[in-house]
Amino acid sequence: MAERYELKQKEVWDGNMAASHALRQAQVDVVAAYPITPSTPIVQNYAQFLADGYVDGEFVMVESEHSAMSACVGASAAGGRVATATSSQGYALMVEVLYQASGMRLPIVMTVVNRALASPLNIHGDHGDLYLGRDAGWIHLIANNPQEAYDMTLCAFKIAENEKVRLPVTTNQDGFLVSHTAQVVEPLDDDTAYKFIGDYKAMNPMLDTKNPQTYGAQTEEEWHFEFKASQHKALMESPAVIDEVFAEFEKLTGRKYNRVETYKLDDADVALVVMGSAYETAMVAVDKAREEGIKAGLIMPRSFRPFPYNEIAEKLKNVKAVAALDRSAPMGAMGALYNEVSGALAANGQSSIMTNYIYGLGGRDTTAQHILEVIKETEKNAKAGKRVTDLQGFINLRGPKLSFN
Amino acid sequence: MATPKEMMTTWDKIQPGAVLPSFEDPEKKIRSKFNSYNYKVADWRVEKPVFNRDLCIDCDFCWVSCPDSCFIVEEVENKRGKKQAKIVGINYNLCKGCAVCVEVCPTPIKSLLMFPEFVDNDEALKQWPKKD
Amino acid sequence: MKNIGNLKEFACTPDRFQGGHRLCPGCAHGMIVREVVNATDDDLVVSTATGCLEVCSAIYPYTSWDVSWLHIGFENAAAGISGAEAMYKALSRKNKLYNEDRNVKFVAFGGDGGTYDIGFQSLSGATERGHDFLYVCLDNEGYMNTGGQRSSSTPIGAHTTTSPRGRVSYGEKHRKKDLTMIMAAHGAPYVATAVPGSKHWKDLAAKAAKALSTVGPTFINALSPCTTEWKFKPEDTVEIGDLAVETCMFPLYEIEDGHKLTINYRPKNKVPVEEYLSKQGRFSHLFKPENKWLIEEIQKEVDRYWEYLQRREEAGV
Ligand SMILES: Cc1ncc(C[n+]2csc(CCOP(=O)(O)OP(=O)(O)O)c2C)c(N)n1
Ligand code: SF4
Ligand code: SF4
Ligand code: SF4
Ligand SMILES: [Mg+2]
């Protein structure tokens, strides 16, 4: 048996340490991982836990992220709890296997410390990696600070392993801004955390060799569509389980999470859609805007996949103008959040005026002041009753104004 | 298409993750309908191997060389009470007619020979070459 | 370790790789796989790289495997099995095994593409990490599942669809990568070569049994003559494999602990390589007058390598 780790009621942890402790408390059977900035400390912390006797599962230091996710697939199909962590280029190298993991319905949990994708190389935070895995068939949860990184990781196991779900889950946190920023985190003690997640429930484990199973069969045109459709359905129906898990977590900790988080949205004319650490910056901006008499609010999908389109549309019902802030290079289109939210509104016959802002690429600072300016621009649309600002703008980009219409 | 009608199902009835159980009853080793043992590749064949028990010396070269696990084996005891295999037939559902078994059969007159698919096995045995 | 007695005993083994798969008639992959999975009485967890074996043995809704089996992708059979093996270790440490009474062994199969080329990193990594598994390369010297393209295992002079013979080309330009030696250089406790078929059946089965009972990563490179892409008649599969051994194009040997080399079969009279080459359509162009020099070169290289193996064995270092 692994040693119990004595934790204080309040710890000062960065996002990486928070995620590491959540993995340890989940008593993961196999962690297979490969280091990459900014998620490297997770791998290192876990190695140290192992070295100090706090982990009795296997820790496989593979030779690449492709092999990390492949070993996770092998381990998960074998029949036990599996987790890993990565960022950026590592995530990109895993992409092929992300689809294979989800297609086999393996409940792997991965902490993604979000970071920009090269080229040009950059080690800082943006959502390029998260967006790359958008269609990979995983559930993607967002954590905006170390406490949330800890909480979401605990919840991730419970969601992934639920027999109605059986899908892999990522928990995302912004590189450096969350992963390397120490804040107060209130952890659960080891026993309570493990009890919350529960024992791993096996489904068709390969290691039950008396009842052999074949994983990864070829399905051509006769079957492939049916399997992808049934997997999609599992994702589309996972909100019920996510809500259930969040409710149970609230009972245990008093910390309430929602698939759609909002801030001062109830009476808002103007809303920003923001995901990740910038959400907290935007809260400050909203407060300032309100001091100046602008009725501004915020909205964020905590589960980026499954995307809560109906809930978002419902919450934006009375909002006049919405700006979606995407932290990823859109490369020839509007940003993902813009597209998802616009689609959600259109589907419900709503016609808030939509605009898109690109911000924070490669770790570029986005301050409350920057966001306040966005709110003010968006308010112009709300007031005019039509779009009078550019369709897509860039925040804190050096040089002449760049925008698209 | 490859799936027989009776195995066609719809998206709401398939096993999550396309996982296939080898056995329906793993304790009793009863293979499931998903086991390719229950699939037929007989129509790949134009010629079939016919087995002549009378000539066979149970060297099992055919058994070990067949890529399609076709040789049906019975476990028997030899004079010294040791278990050994006795070839008792060919599973024609699984045989693709590659003729590897015929090629490796070492008896002076082969104990396995290829015959056109339509020739009945009894008839084939009648046509078997004789020692000269 | 399963005692591989005589063939009469071995043939009592209930098959764990079933027919009804879609490998070509006479495909050596089927012969090799059967021997390997039948060479132990322990339970097996098998992973297989994308390629002919995978594509033909698990076409939904069918599986040819009576053992636990996993296919992930083309380049990660070794990584996948290393994960499964790690899970086995973790669960046994935690007393959570599914069947306490069963021994479980781990095997990965990959084609030469999935082993010499795209999956090499993953194999090298899993071997270096010391996972307890057997990796079997089904070496048919090309990417056959996708229509016979070259790999780094394709021998010099062979026609493939991406190293075609042509008016100014004799086919593949590079010599076959010596993967077996590279695997031995990892310090793996057991590495061997093998061929399918009735003549050397025991060599293969005994090697598989030995590899499976060795603790740590083991590797068998099995030549897998491919009737479809090497262009010979299906019934000749076994003969072609035997000729590869008799000509010393593919000698049978094993290396223990990364250095101790033993030759397992010595042809009484080394057969000229022409015998082997002339039976396969992929080499037919070598017999044109302008390409004859290459046959001589191939012979020289085969002689040199055979000499090298013998000297290494003698040296016993
Ligand atoms: C990442 C990736 N690249 C390419 C392919 C296409 N592909 C599938 S099998 C194969 C060749 C397999 O060759 P080999 O490993 O030698 O096995 P064989 O079919 O010859 O037994 C290729 C190129 C793939 N499936 N995945
Ligand atoms: S013809 Fe081929 S498939 Fe049929 S039994 Fe003989 S070796 Fe097996
Ligand atoms: S190879 Fe011929 S002699 Fe040997 S067991 Fe088969 S049929 Fe009998
Ligand atoms: S192409 Fe070659 S290796 Fe592939 S199934 Fe056919 S004979 Fe076997
Ligand atoms: Mg090949």
Side-chain angles (χ1 to χ4, degrees):
Chain A
M1 263 297 278
E3 292 280 313
R4 275 176 53 109
Y5 201 114
E6 292 305 331
L7 296 172
K8 295 191 280 290
Q9 219 164 8
K10 287 186 198 284
E11 294 279 352
V12 179
W13 285 346
D14 62 17
N16 278 330
M17 186 55 89
S20 313
H21 275 286
L23 298 191
R24 184 188 57 73
Q25 291 184 321
Q27 298 182 20
V28 177
D29 296 307
V30 174
V31 169
Y34 194 82
I36 179 168
T37 306
S39 61
T40 301
I42 298 182
V43 184
Q44 291 172 339
N45 295 340
Y46 197 79
Q48 193 63 52
F49 293 153
L50 183 83
D52 292 338
Y54 294 113
V55 163
D56 55 8
E58 280 289 305
F59 176 56
V60 190
M61 269 313 299
V62 285
E63 81 299 334
S64 76
E65 287 86 355
H66 195 283
S67 285
M69 189 43 65
S70 303
C72 285
V73 168
S76 185
R81 184 165 289 157
V82 174
T84 186
T86 197
S87 299
S88 180
Q89 310 306 128
Y91 191 98
L93 191 55
M94 276 184 188
V95 166
E96 181 195 25
V97 198
L98 296 184
Y99 282 76
Q100 290 155 342
S102 70
M104 290 186 233
R105 306 290 299 273
L106 299 171
I108 298 162
V109 169
M110 172 157 78
T111 293
V112 183
V113 179
N114 301 116
R115 165 183 153 183
L117 287 165
S119 209
L121 189 68
N122 176 292
I123 58 162
H124 288 92
D126 76 29
H127 294 157
D129 46 14
L130 167 63
Y131 284 13
L132 187 60
R134 199 166 48 167
D135 296 342
W138 288 52
I139 291 174
H140 299 297
L141 303 177
I142 313 296
N144 297 345
N145 55 46
Q147 179 73 61
E148 292 184 7
Y150 174 79
D151 294 350
M152 282 305 119
T153 307
L154 294 184
C155 290
F157 286 102
K158 211 169 162 66
I159 295 165
E161 293 171 12
N162 184 293
E163 54 268 85
K164 288 188 223 129
V165 178
R166 290 313 264 206
L167 285 165
V169 178
T170 69
T171 60
N172 294 266
Q173 53 171 290
D174 282 345
F176 293 102
L177 293 176
V178 180
S179 68
H180 287 64
T181 304
Q183 291 185 1
V184 172
V185 175
E186 292 179 30
L188 300 171
D189 66 68
D190 283 8
D191 293 341
T192 311
Y194 184 77
K195 227 196 277 154
F196 168 71
I197 298 172
D199 286 336
Y200 181 78
K201 290 178 282 301
M203 271 173 88
N204 306 317
M206 287 201 299
L207 283 176
D208 181 4
T209 44
K210 283 184 181 162
N211 187 10
Q213 307 288 335
T214 284
Y215 273 84
Q218 182 123 353
T219 64
E220 286 309 331
E221 62 276 34
E222 272 185 330
W223 289 101
H224 190 78
F225 199 3
E226 279 69 25
F227 279 106
K228 290 291 185 189
S230 96
Q231 185 186 338
H232 174 62
K233 181 168 182 274
L235 268 151
M236 295 298 269
E237 290 179 350
S238 63
V241 174
I242 299 173
D243 290 346
E244 220 175 271
V245 171
F246 284 172
E248 207 180 310
F249 192 77
E250 187 194 355
K251 253 202 241 155
L252 188 68
T253 63
R255 294 192 287 273
K256 181 169 170 51
Y257 292 107
N258 306 286
R259 279 181 299 110
V260 179
E261 304 288 5
T262 57
Y263 181 69
K264 301 196 173 168
L265 192 65
D266 286 349
D267 63 341
D269 294 329
V270 171
L272 304 193
V273 190
V274 197
M275 215 164 58
S277 57
Y279 187 81
E280 301 195 336
T281 315
M283 285 163 121
V284 179
V286 162
D287 290 348
K288 279 196 186 147
R290 285 196 172 252
E291 279 166 23
E292 295 179 24
I294 305 170
K295 283 201 217 158
L298 292 181
I299 187 162
M300 167 183 117
R302 185 167 295 284
S303 78
F304 180 58
R305 284 293 181 276
F307 194 82
Y309 48 95
N310 283 331
E311 291 82 350
I312 284 192
E314 171 63 29
K315 294 214 149 60
L316 292 176
K317 219 164 45 191
N318 300 318
V319 175
K320 293 184 182 132
V322 178
L325 275 60
D326 280 289
R327 191 167 197 163
S328 176
M331 294 303 173
M334 294 298 111
L337 283 177
Y338 172 93
N339 285 329
E340 301 295 3
V341 173
S342 302
L345 295 181
N348 288 280
Q350 291 166 228
S351 50
S352 317
I353 300 147
M354 287 290 309
T355 47
N356 187 208
Y357 290 87
I358 306 302
Y359 76 101
L361 301 197
R364 175 60 48 87
D365 243 3
T366 308
T367 62
Q369 190 53 41
H370 293 130
I371 295 181
L372 185 61
E373 279 159 30
V374 172
I375 294 174
K376 285 181 181 166
E377 274 199 16
T378 311
E379 203 214 4
K380 287 184 198 157
N381 293 335
K383 278 210 171 122
K386 60 177 187 187
R387 185 165 63 80
V388 293
T389 66
D390 295 322
L391 179 58
Q392 185 176 58
F394 287 70
I395 302 172
N396 196 18
L397 175 71
R398 224 169 30 253
K401 185 176 178 197
L402 181 63
S403 62
F404 298 95
N405 280 295
Chain B
M1 282 258 82
T3 308
K5 260 206 198 95
E6 67 276 12
M7 286 180 78
M8 266 302 185
T9 54
T10 48
W11 67 265
D12 49 328
K13 298 201 175 65
I14 48 182
Q15 324 85 293
V19 182
L20 294 165
S22 313
F23 295 98
E24 185 186 311
D25 185 340
E27 288 294 315
K28 295 198 187 108
K29 295 261 174 220
I30 297 172
R31 294 196 175 89
S32 71
K33 63 179 176 182
F34 305 112
N35 198 301
S36 71
Y37 180 81
N38 294 315
Y39 184 70
K40 278 199 184 81
V41 288
D43 56 354
W44 289 36
R45 240 174 15 231
V46 273
E47 285 195 315
K48 64 177 171 184
V50 175
F51 173 56
N52 189 331
R53 183 59 258 176
D54 295 340
L55 298 172
C56 174
I57 56 168
D58 287 314
C59 69
D60 302 315
F61 285 0
C62 55
W63 177 85
V64 81
S65 302
C66 174
D68 295 85
S69 319
C70 295
F71 284 88
I72 306 168
V73 166
E74 217 177 79
E75 206 179 294
V76 294
E77 277 192 4
N78 71 8
K79 284 173 226 134
R80 274 165 284 131
K82 267 188 106 181
K83 70 169 187 182
Q84 69 170 62
K86 180 181 172 191
I87 305 288
V88 294
I90 295 168
N91 184 331
Y92 284 116
N93 286 340
L94 308 181
C95 170
K96 294 176 187 144
C98 67
V100 162
C101 53
V102 173
E103 219 35 52
V104 298
C105 181
T107 52
I109 302 173
K110 295 227 177 233
S111 316
L112 286 160
L113 282 175
M114 298 305 283
F115 284 89
E117 195 59 34
F118 58 82
V119 177
D120 179 276
N121 277 15
D122 291 334
E123 182 51 36
L125 287 170
K126 278 185 210 149
Q127 294 175 14
W128 216 269
K130 303 270 178 303
K131 271 192 201 132
D132 23 49
Chain C
M1 174 160 142
K2 178 161 170 167
N3 174 33
I4 310 294
N6 58 32
L7 191 47
K8 287 179 205 281
E9 278 170 57
F10 189 48
C12 293
T13 315
D15 260 301
R16 301 206 274 187
F17 178 68
Q18 291 305 326
H21 56 66
R22 318 305 160 79
L23 293 165
C24 299
C27 175
H29 281 9
M31 305 176 187
I32 297 162
V33 169
R34 280 187 59 225
E35 275 209 62
V36 171
V37 298
N38 292 342
T40 174
D41 295 325
D42 290 335
D43 287 351
L44 289 178
V45 174
V46 172
S47 84
T48 300
T50 312
C52 281
L53 177 64
E54 165 271 326
V55 161
C56 297
S57 67
I59 302 180
Y60 196 88
Y62 291 102
T63 175
S64 303
W65 300 89
D66 283 2
V67 296
S68 300
W69 186 83
L70 166 72
H71 159 246
I72 311 175
F74 188 17
E75 65 285 60
N76 49 10
I81 205 72
S82 78
E85 185 258 6
M87 182 57 76
Y88 183 63
K89 279 192 205 143
L91 297 187
S92 61
R93 188 174 312 126
K94 295 183 178 187
N95 287 319
K96 284 197 203 159
L97 284 181
Y98 294 93
N99 306 301
E100 293 284 354
D101 55 326
R102 300 297 305 163
N103 256 331
V104 182
K105 294 281 154 77
F106 297 86
V107 180
F109 289 104
D112 48 295
T115 308
Y116 285 67
D117 291 347
I118 198 166
F120 180 66
Q121 172 182 321
S122 146
L123 170 61
S124 177
T127 304
E128 171 275 323
R129 293 193 299 275
H131 293 279
D132 189 7
F133 75 116
L134 162 62
Y135 191 104
V136 179
C137 175
L138 304 166
D139 187 358
N140 56 17
E141 305 187 327
Y143 301 163
M144 301 330 190
N145 177 51
T146 43
Q149 297 86 25
R150 81 169 289 272
S151 77
S152 61
S153 167
T154 303
I156 192 163
H159 164 88
T160 74
T161 52
T162 51
S163 64
R165 56 187 151 222
R167 280 196 301 146
V168 295
S169 171
Y170 56 79
E172 174 59 35
K173 299 287 182 300
H174 309 280
R175 54 182 261 198
K176 183 180 168 90
K177 190 199 261 187
D178 193 352
L179 185 67
T180 313
M181 288 295 176
I182 296 170
M183 291 313 296
H186 282 71
Y190 187 72
V191 165
T193 61
V195 291
S198 46
K199 179 160 186 186
H200 298 290
W201 78 269
K202 192 165 178 175
D203 181 72
L204 170 54
K207 282 172 173 171
K210 185 168 177 179
L212 285 164
S213 65
T214 301
V215 178
T218 55
F219 178 78
I220 294 178
N221 199 6
L223 187 73
S224 186
C226 167
T227 157
T228 305
E229 297 296 344
W230 293 13
K231 307 213 177 345
F232 59 79
K233 290 202 272 15
E235 66 260 37
D236 293 337
T237 300
V238 170
E239 187 197 346
I240 298 285
D242 289 347
L243 268 174
V245 175
E246 296 298 327
T247 53
C248 291
M249 289 281 297
F250 198 87
L252 297 177
Y253 64 93
E254 61 191 4
I255 300 176
E256 285 159 289
D257 297 323
H259 62 91
K260 191 176 170 293
L261 189 147
T262 309
I263 294 171
N264 305 112
Y265 177 82
R266 254 167 257 275
K268 280 194 196 73
N269 302 301
K270 197 136 111 328
V271 174
V273 293
E274 273 102 326
E275 279 283 307
Y276 175 70
L277 302 175
S278 64
K279 291 211 156 57
Q280 304 171 47
R282 63 174 173 154
F283 294 117
S284 61
H285 56 288
L286 298 189
F287 293 86
K288 286 191 190 161
E290 66 269 29
N291 290 332
K292 284 255 158 133
W293 64 271
L294 187 56
I295 299 184
E296 283 163 31
E297 287 298 312
I298 294 171
Q299 185 67 61
K300 267 193 225 153
E301 178 57 24
V302 163
D303 294 344
R304 186 196 68 76
Y305 197 77
W306 182 237
E307 185 63 28
Y308 161 74
L309 286 181
Q310 288 174 304
R311 293 237 199 124
R312 251 193 84 167
E313 184 186 42
E314 272 164 33
V317 288

